[in-house]
Amino acid sequence: GQNIDQPTEMTATEGAIVQINCTYQTSGFNGLFWYQQHAGEAPTFLSYNVLDGLEEKGRFSSFLSRSKGYSYLLLKELQMKDSASYLCAVRSGSGNTGKLIFGQGTTLQVKP
Amino acid sequence: GAVVSQHPSWVICKSGTSVKIECRSLDFQATTMFWYRQFPKQSLMLMATSNEGSKATYEQGVEKDKFLINHASLTLSTLTVTSAHPEDSSFYICSAEWQPNSPLHFGNGTRLTVT
């Protein structure tokens, strides 16, 4: 079966660093994605990992360990606008165009 | 960059009527598009995979006769919610990848309210 787990809610302080974890068990693996979604809006792409290790993009970094079925999204220098839901998604299936399965999302609240 | 346009942004319809939602890839050709549904405070649930020129692949539990998908061209997929009921009220989002293994790009979503 497919199972993707993330914490439901997290709270952090403006200017701080927060790490959002994601564990997965899927029938196939062809990449792990992180998306940001503000309430009432569509998700926007943040980062993508297909090989083990850390990918850094400005204030956002994402890490993947395929052997552990584990990823995290690291947000640095938190800003109030970072308050949103963060979705971990795994591309499963065979070939290059496997479907993307989403976790339940982590709602992050950034406080002053 | 890759842009996916979805229309309408919101729609209110009466119970028993049908609603069509369009998803277009504006600057790339998408042989595959994905339709998701999201209920309040829940994550995105994949409904079906839309394949250009062939039948859509539906996820378990999604009624193919109720949610009709047509992917007649490389830039357009449509989702028709037939005989809508209040429990179909949700946020419907389409997505496409502009090339194999690239991240999915999402449309802005359609808020459907069935009264």
Side-chain angles (χ1 to χ4, degrees), chain B residues 34-67:
Chain B
F34 302 91
W35 287 96
Y36 289 84
R37 178 168 55 182
Q38 186 176 35
F39 292 105
K41 296 188 178 182
Q42 295 187 24
S43 191
L44 281 76
M45 297 299 296
L46 180 65
M47 298 177 66
T49 302
S50 172
N51 304 296
E52 188 269 335
S54 64
K55 292 183 179 180
T57 304
Y58 290 81
E59 294 299 300
Q60 190 173 8
V62 178
E63 300 175 56
K64 62 179 182 180
D65 294 330
K66 180 171 181 62
F67 299 99

PDB file of all heavy atoms in Angstrom, chain B residues 34-67:
ATOM      1  N   PHE B  34      -3.181  15.180 -14.308  1.00  0.00           N
ATOM      2  CA  PHE B  34      -3.706  14.521 -13.116  1.00  0.00           C
ATOM      3  C   PHE B  34      -4.793  15.395 -12.500  1.00  0.00           C
ATOM      4  O   PHE B  34      -4.660  16.612 -12.411  1.00  0.00           O
ATOM      5  CB  PHE B  34      -2.589  14.294 -12.088  1.00  0.00           C
ATOM      6  CG  PHE B  34      -1.437  13.474 -12.615  1.00  0.00           C
ATOM      7  CD1 PHE B  34      -0.350  14.086 -13.209  1.00  0.00           C
ATOM      8  CD2 PHE B  34      -1.443  12.098 -12.507  1.00  0.00           C
ATOM      9  CE1 PHE B  34       0.715  13.341 -13.698  1.00  0.00           C
ATOM     10  CE2 PHE B  34      -0.388  11.335 -12.991  1.00  0.00           C
ATOM     11  CZ  PHE B  34       0.688  11.963 -13.589  1.00  0.00           C
ATOM     12  N   TRP B  35      -5.856  14.756 -12.057  1.00  0.00           N
ATOM     13  CA  TRP B  35      -6.943  15.460 -11.381  1.00  0.00           C
ATOM     14  C   TRP B  35      -6.972  15.069  -9.910  1.00  0.00           C
ATOM     15  O   TRP B  35      -6.990  13.879  -9.567  1.00  0.00           O
ATOM     16  CB  TRP B  35      -8.288  15.130 -12.037  1.00  0.00           C
ATOM     17  CG  TRP B  35      -8.458  15.791 -13.367  1.00  0.00           C
ATOM     18  CD1 TRP B  35      -8.209  15.269 -14.595  1.00  0.00           C
ATOM     19  CD2 TRP B  35      -8.908  17.134 -13.588  1.00  0.00           C
ATOM     20  NE1 TRP B  35      -8.478  16.188 -15.572  1.00  0.00           N
ATOM     21  CE2 TRP B  35      -8.915  17.344 -14.982  1.00  0.00           C
ATOM     22  CE3 TRP B  35      -9.325  18.171 -12.754  1.00  0.00           C
ATOM     23  CZ2 TRP B  35      -9.310  18.552 -15.566  1.00  0.00           C
ATOM     24  CZ3 TRP B  35      -9.714  19.360 -13.326  1.00  0.00           C
ATOM     25  CH2 TRP B  35      -9.710  19.549 -14.716  1.00  0.00           C
ATOM     26  N   TYR B  36      -6.956  16.101  -9.052  1.00  0.00           N
ATOM     27  CA  TYR B  36      -6.991  15.895  -7.613  1.00  0.00           C
ATOM     28  C   TYR B  36      -8.239  16.550  -7.036  1.00  0.00           C
ATOM     29  O   TYR B  36      -8.812  17.483  -7.608  1.00  0.00           O
ATOM     30  CB  TYR B  36      -5.755  16.514  -6.939  1.00  0.00           C
ATOM     31  CG  TYR B  36      -4.457  15.790  -7.209  1.00  0.00           C
ATOM     32  CD1 TYR B  36      -3.720  16.042  -8.359  1.00  0.00           C
ATOM     33  CD2 TYR B  36      -3.965  14.854  -6.303  1.00  0.00           C
ATOM     34  CE1 TYR B  36      -2.524  15.386  -8.602  1.00  0.00           C
ATOM     35  CE2 TYR B  36      -2.765  14.192  -6.538  1.00  0.00           C
ATOM     36  CZ  TYR B  36      -2.054  14.467  -7.686  1.00  0.00           C
ATOM     37  OH  TYR B  36      -0.866  13.807  -7.924  1.00  0.00           O
ATOM     38  N   ARG B  37      -8.613  16.084  -5.859  1.00  0.00           N
ATOM     39  CA  ARG B  37      -9.718  16.687  -5.116  1.00  0.00           C
ATOM     40  C   ARG B  37      -9.219  16.922  -3.688  1.00  0.00           C
ATOM     41  O   ARG B  37      -8.474  16.103  -3.135  1.00  0.00           O
ATOM     42  CB  ARG B  37     -10.927  15.739  -5.110  1.00  0.00           C
ATOM     43  CG  ARG B  37     -12.115  16.246  -4.331  1.00  0.00           C
ATOM     44  CD  ARG B  37     -13.348  15.401  -4.606  1.00  0.00           C
ATOM     45  NE  ARG B  37     -13.141  13.983  -4.355  1.00  0.00           N
ATOM     46  CZ  ARG B  37     -14.058  13.047  -4.551  1.00  0.00           C
ATOM     47  NH1 ARG B  37     -15.251  13.388  -5.009  1.00  0.00           N
ATOM     48  NH2 ARG B  37     -13.795  11.785  -4.311  1.00  0.00           N
ATOM     49  N   GLN B  38      -9.633  18.041  -3.122  1.00  0.00           N
ATOM     50  CA  GLN B  38      -9.188  18.377  -1.771  1.00  0.00           C
ATOM     51  C   GLN B  38     -10.365  18.874  -0.963  1.00  0.00           C
ATOM     52  O   GLN B  38     -10.965  19.908  -1.287  1.00  0.00           O
ATOM     53  CB  GLN B  38      -8.082  19.436  -1.808  1.00  0.00           C
ATOM     54  CG  GLN B  38      -7.460  19.731  -0.458  1.00  0.00           C
ATOM     55  CD  GLN B  38      -6.311  20.710  -0.562  1.00  0.00           C
ATOM     56  OE1 GLN B  38      -6.327  21.621  -1.378  1.00  0.00           O
ATOM     57  NE2 GLN B  38      -5.282  20.526   0.271  1.00  0.00           N
ATOM     58  N   PHE B  39     -10.697  18.152   0.112  1.00  0.00           N
ATOM     59  CA  PHE B  39     -11.729  18.596   1.045  1.00  0.00           C
ATOM     60  C   PHE B  39     -11.080  19.485   2.088  1.00  0.00           C
ATOM     61  O   PHE B  39      -9.849  19.438   2.293  1.00  0.00           O
ATOM     62  CB  PHE B  39     -12.425  17.391   1.676  1.00  0.00           C
ATOM     63  CG  PHE B  39     -13.259  16.611   0.700  1.00  0.00           C
ATOM     64  CD1 PHE B  39     -12.829  15.382   0.214  1.00  0.00           C
ATOM     65  CD2 PHE B  39     -14.459  17.115   0.230  1.00  0.00           C
ATOM     66  CE1 PHE B  39     -13.591  14.670  -0.704  1.00  0.00           C
ATOM     67  CE2 PHE B  39     -15.224  16.413  -0.695  1.00  0.00           C
ATOM     68  CZ  PHE B  39     -14.787  15.189  -1.158  1.00  0.00           C
ATOM     69  N   PRO B  40     -11.881  20.328   2.753  1.00  0.00           N
ATOM     70  CA  PRO B  40     -11.329  21.286   3.724  1.00  0.00           C
ATOM     71  C   PRO B  40     -10.422  20.628   4.752  1.00  0.00           C
ATOM     72  O   PRO B  40     -10.754  19.595   5.322  1.00  0.00           O
ATOM     73  CB  PRO B  40     -12.580  21.887   4.367  1.00  0.00           C
ATOM     74  CG  PRO B  40     -13.634  21.755   3.314  1.00  0.00           C
ATOM     75  CD  PRO B  40     -13.340  20.475   2.618  1.00  0.00           C
ATOM     76  N   LYS B  41      -9.264  21.221   4.930  1.00  0.00           N
ATOM     77  CA  LYS B  41      -8.274  20.800   5.919  1.00  0.00           C
ATOM     78  C   LYS B  41      -7.771  19.373   5.679  1.00  0.00           C
ATOM     79  O   LYS B  41      -7.299  18.716   6.607  1.00  0.00           O
ATOM     80  CB  LYS B  41      -8.835  20.939   7.335  1.00  0.00           C
ATOM     81  CG  LYS B  41      -9.145  22.376   7.708  1.00  0.00           C
ATOM     82  CD  LYS B  41      -9.513  22.520   9.166  1.00  0.00           C
ATOM     83  CE  LYS B  41      -9.771  23.977   9.503  1.00  0.00           C
ATOM     84  NZ  LYS B  41     -10.102  24.185  10.929  1.00  0.00           N
ATOM     85  N   GLN B  42      -7.880  18.921   4.461  1.00  0.00           N
ATOM     86  CA  GLN B  42      -7.339  17.618   4.090  1.00  0.00           C
ATOM     87  C   GLN B  42      -6.354  17.792   2.948  1.00  0.00           C
ATOM     88  O   GLN B  42      -6.249  18.861   2.344  1.00  0.00           O
ATOM     89  CB  GLN B  42      -8.457  16.661   3.688  1.00  0.00           C
ATOM     90  CG  GLN B  42      -9.398  16.313   4.819  1.00  0.00           C
ATOM     91  CD  GLN B  42     -10.384  15.231   4.425  1.00  0.00           C
ATOM     92  OE1 GLN B  42     -10.138  14.432   3.527  1.00  0.00           O
ATOM     93  NE2 GLN B  42     -11.511  15.198   5.115  1.00  0.00           N
ATOM     94  N   SER B  43      -5.603  16.743   2.674  1.00  0.00           N
ATOM     95  CA  SER B  43      -4.610  16.842   1.616  1.00  0.00           C
ATOM     96  C   SER B  43      -5.226  16.537   0.258  1.00  0.00           C
ATOM     97  O   SER B  43      -6.417  16.269   0.154  1.00  0.00           O
ATOM     98  CB  SER B  43      -3.464  15.881   1.889  1.00  0.00           C
ATOM     99  OG  SER B  43      -2.385  16.144   1.007  1.00  0.00           O
ATOM    100  N   LEU B  44      -4.405  16.593  -0.757  1.00  0.00           N
ATOM    101  CA  LEU B  44      -4.872  16.332  -2.117  1.00  0.00           C
ATOM    102  C   LEU B  44      -5.019  14.828  -2.328  1.00  0.00           C
ATOM    103  O   LEU B  44      -4.110  14.056  -2.046  1.00  0.00           O
ATOM    104  CB  LEU B  44      -3.871  16.865  -3.145  1.00  0.00           C
ATOM    105  CG  LEU B  44      -3.900  18.359  -3.426  1.00  0.00           C
ATOM    106  CD1 LEU B  44      -3.257  19.134  -2.309  1.00  0.00           C
ATOM    107  CD2 LEU B  44      -3.192  18.668  -4.734  1.00  0.00           C
ATOM    108  N   MET B  45      -6.162  14.441  -2.845  1.00  0.00           N
ATOM    109  CA  MET B  45      -6.410  13.038  -3.152  1.00  0.00           C
ATOM    110  C   MET B  45      -6.471  12.880  -4.665  1.00  0.00           C
ATOM    111  O   MET B  45      -7.275  13.538  -5.331  1.00  0.00           O
ATOM    112  CB  MET B  45      -7.721  12.570  -2.518  1.00  0.00           C
ATOM    113  CG  MET B  45      -7.720  12.628  -1.008  1.00  0.00           C
ATOM    114  SD  MET B  45      -6.455  11.570  -0.266  1.00  0.00           S
ATOM    115  CE  MET B  45      -7.015   9.952  -0.790  1.00  0.00           C
ATOM    116  N   LEU B  46      -5.635  12.011  -5.197  1.00  0.00           N
ATOM    117  CA  LEU B  46      -5.630  11.779  -6.638  1.00  0.00           C
ATOM    118  C   LEU B  46      -6.922  11.080  -7.043  1.00  0.00           C
ATOM    119  O   LEU B  46      -7.286  10.057  -6.459  1.00  0.00           O
ATOM    120  CB  LEU B  46      -4.419  10.938  -7.023  1.00  0.00           C
ATOM    121  CG  LEU B  46      -4.267  10.615  -8.508  1.00  0.00           C
ATOM    122  CD1 LEU B  46      -4.025  11.881  -9.314  1.00  0.00           C
ATOM    123  CD2 LEU B  46      -3.127   9.630  -8.720  1.00  0.00           C
ATOM    124  N   MET B  47      -7.591  11.662  -8.034  1.00  0.00           N
ATOM    125  CA  MET B  47      -8.824  11.065  -8.538  1.00  0.00           C
ATOM    126  C   MET B  47      -8.539  10.185  -9.756  1.00  0.00           C
ATOM    127  O   MET B  47      -9.002   9.062  -9.842  1.00  0.00           O
ATOM    128  CB  MET B  47      -9.826  12.148  -8.932  1.00  0.00           C
ATOM    129  CG  MET B  47     -10.270  13.047  -7.812  1.00  0.00           C
ATOM    130  SD  MET B  47     -11.366  14.339  -8.413  1.00  0.00           S
ATOM    131  CE  MET B  47     -12.783  13.384  -8.924  1.00  0.00           C
ATOM    132  N   ALA B  48      -7.788  10.763 -10.688  1.00  0.00           N
ATOM    133  CA  ALA B  48      -7.565  10.038 -11.933  1.00  0.00           C
ATOM    134  C   ALA B  48      -6.390  10.625 -12.692  1.00  0.00           C
ATOM    135  O   ALA B  48      -5.998  11.762 -12.482  1.00  0.00           O
ATOM    136  CB  ALA B  48      -8.823  10.098 -12.804  1.00  0.00           C
ATOM    137  N   THR B  49      -5.832   9.802 -13.539  1.00  0.00           N
ATOM    138  CA  THR B  49      -4.772  10.206 -14.449  1.00  0.00           C
ATOM    139  C   THR B  49      -5.364  10.300 -15.842  1.00  0.00           C
ATOM    140  O   THR B  49      -5.947   9.324 -16.343  1.00  0.00           O
ATOM    141  CB  THR B  49      -3.621   9.187 -14.424  1.00  0.00           C
ATOM    142  OG1 THR B  49      -3.128   9.065 -13.097  1.00  0.00           O
ATOM    143  CG2 THR B  49      -2.491   9.626 -15.350  1.00  0.00           C
ATOM    144  N   SER B  50      -5.218  11.455 -16.445  1.00  0.00           N
ATOM    145  CA  SER B  50      -5.796  11.714 -17.751  1.00  0.00           C
ATOM    146  C   SER B  50      -4.727  11.555 -18.825  1.00  0.00           C
ATOM    147  O   SER B  50      -3.684  12.195 -18.763  1.00  0.00           O
ATOM    148  CB  SER B  50      -6.352  13.150 -17.766  1.00  0.00           C
ATOM    149  OG  SER B  50      -6.765  13.545 -19.046  1.00  0.00           O
ATOM    150  N   ASN B  51      -4.962  10.703 -19.764  1.00  0.00           N
ATOM    151  CA  ASN B  51      -3.987  10.410 -20.820  1.00  0.00           C
ATOM    152  C   ASN B  51      -4.525  10.870 -22.168  1.00  0.00           C
ATOM    153  O   ASN B  51      -5.644  10.521 -22.555  1.00  0.00           O
ATOM    154  CB  ASN B  51      -3.709   8.912 -20.879  1.00  0.00           C
ATOM    155  CG  ASN B  51      -3.247   8.359 -19.554  1.00  0.00           C
ATOM    156  OD1 ASN B  51      -2.199   8.718 -19.048  1.00  0.00           O
ATOM    157  ND2 ASN B  51      -4.040   7.465 -18.984  1.00  0.00           N
ATOM    158  N   GLU B  52      -3.737  11.663 -22.874  1.00  0.00           N
ATOM    159  CA  GLU B  52      -4.156  12.181 -24.170  1.00  0.00           C
ATOM    160  C   GLU B  52      -4.428  11.055 -25.148  1.00  0.00           C
ATOM    161  O   GLU B  52      -3.588  10.170 -25.328  1.00  0.00           O
ATOM    162  CB  GLU B  52      -3.071  13.125 -24.716  1.00  0.00           C
ATOM    163  CG  GLU B  52      -3.487  13.875 -25.970  1.00  0.00           C
ATOM    164  CD  GLU B  52      -3.123  13.142 -27.246  1.00  0.00           C
ATOM    165  OE1 GLU B  52      -2.178  12.345 -27.214  1.00  0.00           O
ATOM    166  OE2 GLU B  52      -3.781  13.393 -28.270  1.00  0.00           O
ATOM    167  N   GLY B  53      -5.603  11.068 -25.711  1.00  0.00           N
ATOM    168  CA  GLY B  53      -5.963  10.093 -26.734  1.00  0.00           C
ATOM    169  C   GLY B  53      -6.386   8.739 -26.234  1.00  0.00           C
ATOM    170  O   GLY B  53      -6.625   7.829 -27.037  1.00  0.00           O
ATOM    171  N   SER B  54      -6.476   8.564 -24.926  1.00  0.00           N
ATOM    172  CA  SER B  54      -6.912   7.270 -24.398  1.00  0.00           C
ATOM    173  C   SER B  54      -7.749   7.478 -23.146  1.00  0.00           C
ATOM    174  O   SER B  54      -7.914   8.603 -22.679  1.00  0.00           O
ATOM    175  CB  SER B  54      -5.708   6.383 -24.093  1.00  0.00           C
ATOM    176  OG  SER B  54      -4.918   6.933 -23.064  1.00  0.00           O
ATOM    177  N   LYS B  55      -8.279   6.388 -22.622  1.00  0.00           N
ATOM    178  CA  LYS B  55      -9.135   6.497 -21.446  1.00  0.00           C
ATOM    179  C   LYS B  55      -8.336   6.875 -20.201  1.00  0.00           C
ATOM    180  O   LYS B  55      -7.180   6.501 -20.050  1.00  0.00           O
ATOM    181  CB  LYS B  55      -9.852   5.165 -21.206  1.00  0.00           C
ATOM    182  CG  LYS B  55     -10.874   4.805 -22.279  1.00  0.00           C
ATOM    183  CD  LYS B  55     -11.583   3.508 -21.934  1.00  0.00           C
ATOM    184  CE  LYS B  55     -12.627   3.163 -22.989  1.00  0.00           C
ATOM    185  NZ  LYS B  55     -13.330   1.897 -22.671  1.00  0.00           N
ATOM    186  N   ALA B  56      -9.011   7.582 -19.322  1.00  0.00           N
ATOM    187  CA  ALA B  56      -8.371   7.969 -18.064  1.00  0.00           C
ATOM    188  C   ALA B  56      -8.256   6.756 -17.144  1.00  0.00           C
ATOM    189  O   ALA B  56      -9.021   5.798 -17.240  1.00  0.00           O
ATOM    190  CB  ALA B  56      -9.179   9.070 -17.391  1.00  0.00           C
ATOM    191  N   THR B  57      -7.289   6.828 -16.264  1.00  0.00           N
ATOM    192  CA  THR B  57      -7.099   5.799 -15.249  1.00  0.00           C
ATOM    193  C   THR B  57      -7.577   6.340 -13.924  1.00  0.00           C
ATOM    194  O   THR B  57      -7.047   7.336 -13.430  1.00  0.00           O
ATOM    195  CB  THR B  57      -5.612   5.415 -15.134  1.00  0.00           C
ATOM    196  OG1 THR B  57      -5.120   5.006 -16.404  1.00  0.00           O
ATOM    197  CG2 THR B  57      -5.435   4.284 -14.126  1.00  0.00           C
ATOM    198  N   TYR B  58      -8.581   5.705 -13.347  1.00  0.00           N
ATOM    199  CA  TYR B  58      -9.189   6.199 -12.131  1.00  0.00           C
ATOM    200  C   TYR B  58      -8.621   5.491 -10.900  1.00  0.00           C
ATOM    201  O   TYR B  58      -8.310   4.298 -10.939  1.00  0.00           O
ATOM    202  CB  TYR B  58     -10.713   5.990 -12.170  1.00  0.00           C
ATOM    203  CG  TYR B  58     -11.411   6.887 -13.165  1.00  0.00           C
ATOM    204  CD1 TYR B  58     -11.454   6.567 -14.520  1.00  0.00           C
ATOM    205  CD2 TYR B  58     -12.005   8.071 -12.753  1.00  0.00           C
ATOM    206  CE1 TYR B  58     -12.075   7.399 -15.438  1.00  0.00           C
ATOM    207  CE2 TYR B  58     -12.641   8.907 -13.656  1.00  0.00           C
ATOM    208  CZ  TYR B  58     -12.656   8.566 -14.994  1.00  0.00           C
ATOM    209  OH  TYR B  58     -13.277   9.396 -15.891  1.00  0.00           O
ATOM    210  N   GLU B  59      -8.534   6.244  -9.810  1.00  0.00           N
ATOM    211  CA  GLU B  59      -8.090   5.655  -8.548  1.00  0.00           C
ATOM    212  C   GLU B  59      -9.244   4.859  -7.925  1.00  0.00           C
ATOM    213  O   GLU B  59     -10.421   5.092  -8.227  1.00  0.00           O
ATOM    214  CB  GLU B  59      -7.626   6.742  -7.588  1.00  0.00           C
ATOM    215  CG  GLU B  59      -6.377   7.462  -8.062  1.00  0.00           C
ATOM    216  CD  GLU B  59      -5.180   6.545  -8.212  1.00  0.00           C
ATOM    217  OE1 GLU B  59      -4.779   5.925  -7.201  1.00  0.00           O
ATOM    218  OE2 GLU B  59      -4.644   6.449  -9.346  1.00  0.00           O
ATOM    219  N   GLN B  60      -8.860   3.973  -7.048  1.00  0.00           N
ATOM    220  CA  GLN B  60      -9.855   3.136  -6.394  1.00  0.00           C
ATOM    221  C   GLN B  60     -10.842   3.994  -5.625  1.00  0.00           C
ATOM    222  O   GLN B  60     -10.456   4.915  -4.900  1.00  0.00           O
ATOM    223  CB  GLN B  60      -9.146   2.172  -5.430  1.00  0.00           C
ATOM    224  CG  GLN B  60     -10.036   1.101  -4.863  1.00  0.00           C
ATOM    225  CD  GLN B  60      -9.264   0.075  -4.054  1.00  0.00           C
ATOM    226  OE1 GLN B  60      -8.074   0.249  -3.796  1.00  0.00           O
ATOM    227  NE2 GLN B  60      -9.912  -0.992  -3.666  1.00  0.00           N
ATOM    228  N   GLY B  61     -12.121   3.695  -5.809  1.00  0.00           N
ATOM    229  CA  GLY B  61     -13.156   4.426  -5.103  1.00  0.00           C
ATOM    230  C   GLY B  61     -13.699   5.625  -5.849  1.00  0.00           C
ATOM    231  O   GLY B  61     -14.661   6.260  -5.388  1.00  0.00           O
ATOM    232  N   VAL B  62     -13.106   5.985  -6.967  1.00  0.00           N
ATOM    233  CA  VAL B  62     -13.583   7.120  -7.761  1.00  0.00           C
ATOM    234  C   VAL B  62     -14.457   6.590  -8.896  1.00  0.00           C
ATOM    235  O   VAL B  62     -14.012   5.747  -9.681  1.00  0.00           O
ATOM    236  CB  VAL B  62     -12.405   7.932  -8.335  1.00  0.00           C
ATOM    237  CG1 VAL B  62     -12.913   9.080  -9.209  1.00  0.00           C
ATOM    238  CG2 VAL B  62     -11.527   8.459  -7.214  1.00  0.00           C
ATOM    239  N   GLU B  63     -15.688   7.076  -8.975  1.00  0.00           N
ATOM    240  CA  GLU B  63     -16.643   6.572  -9.962  1.00  0.00           C
ATOM    241  C   GLU B  63     -16.366   7.193 -11.328  1.00  0.00           C
ATOM    242  O   GLU B  63     -16.533   8.396 -11.528  1.00  0.00           O
ATOM    243  CB  GLU B  63     -18.060   6.925  -9.535  1.00  0.00           C
ATOM    244  CG  GLU B  63     -18.473   6.346  -8.194  1.00  0.00           C
ATOM    245  CD  GLU B  63     -19.859   6.850  -7.793  1.00  0.00           C
ATOM    246  OE1 GLU B  63     -20.802   6.650  -8.590  1.00  0.00           O
ATOM    247  OE2 GLU B  63     -19.999   7.448  -6.719  1.00  0.00           O
ATOM    248  N   LYS B  64     -15.973   6.366 -12.265  1.00  0.00           N
ATOM    249  CA  LYS B  64     -15.631   6.874 -13.592  1.00  0.00           C
ATOM    250  C   LYS B  64     -16.842   7.384 -14.350  1.00  0.00           C
ATOM    251  O   LYS B  64     -16.711   8.254 -15.223  1.00  0.00           O
ATOM    252  CB  LYS B  64     -14.917   5.803 -14.409  1.00  0.00           C
ATOM    253  CG  LYS B  64     -15.749   4.556 -14.675  1.00  0.00           C
ATOM    254  CD  LYS B  64     -14.945   3.572 -15.504  1.00  0.00           C
ATOM    255  CE  LYS B  64     -15.770   2.327 -15.821  1.00  0.00           C
ATOM    256  NZ  LYS B  64     -15.001   1.354 -16.631  1.00  0.00           N
ATOM    257  N   ASP B  65     -18.025   6.884 -14.035  1.00  0.00           N
ATOM    258  CA  ASP B  65     -19.230   7.351 -14.725  1.00  0.00           C
ATOM    259  C   ASP B  65     -19.729   8.665 -14.149  1.00  0.00           C
ATOM    260  O   ASP B  65     -20.558   9.342 -14.765  1.00  0.00           O
ATOM    261  CB  ASP B  65     -20.337   6.299 -14.633  1.00  0.00           C
ATOM    262  CG  ASP B  65     -19.979   5.035 -15.399  1.00  0.00           C
ATOM    263  OD1 ASP B  65     -19.238   5.153 -16.400  1.00  0.00           O
ATOM    264  OD2 ASP B  65     -20.411   3.944 -14.999  1.00  0.00           O
ATOM    265  N   LYS B  66     -19.264   9.004 -12.974  1.00  0.00           N
ATOM    266  CA  LYS B  66     -19.682  10.259 -12.351  1.00  0.00           C
ATOM    267  C   LYS B  66     -18.692  11.375 -12.668  1.00  0.00           C
ATOM    268  O   LYS B  66     -19.078  12.509 -12.879  1.00  0.00           O
ATOM    269  CB  LYS B  66     -19.771  10.093 -10.832  1.00  0.00           C
ATOM    270  CG  LYS B  66     -20.190  11.358 -10.116  1.00  0.00           C
ATOM    271  CD  LYS B  66     -20.471  11.105  -8.656  1.00  0.00           C
ATOM    272  CE  LYS B  66     -20.908  12.389  -7.995  1.00  0.00           C
ATOM    273  NZ  LYS B  66     -22.158  12.929  -8.573  1.00  0.00           N
ATOM    274  N   PHE B  67     -17.428  11.031 -12.704  1.00  0.00           N
ATOM    275  CA  PHE B  67     -16.373  12.003 -12.989  1.00  0.00           C
ATOM    276  C   PHE B  67     -15.786  11.668 -14.360  1.00  0.00           C
ATOM    277  O   PHE B  67     -14.858  10.866 -14.475  1.00  0.00           O
ATOM    278  CB  PHE B  67     -15.308  11.974 -11.903  1.00  0.00           C
ATOM    279  CG  PHE B  67     -15.818  12.316 -10.537  1.00  0.00           C
ATOM    280  CD1 PHE B  67     -16.125  11.313  -9.619  1.00  0.00           C
ATOM    281  CD2 PHE B  67     -16.012  13.637 -10.164  1.00  0.00           C
ATOM    282  CE1 PHE B  67     -16.602  11.623  -8.358  1.00  0.00           C
ATOM    283  CE2 PHE B  67     -16.492  13.963  -8.900  1.00  0.00           C
ATOM    284  CZ  PHE B  67     -16.790  12.953  -8.000  1.00  0.00           C
TER     285      PHE B  67
END
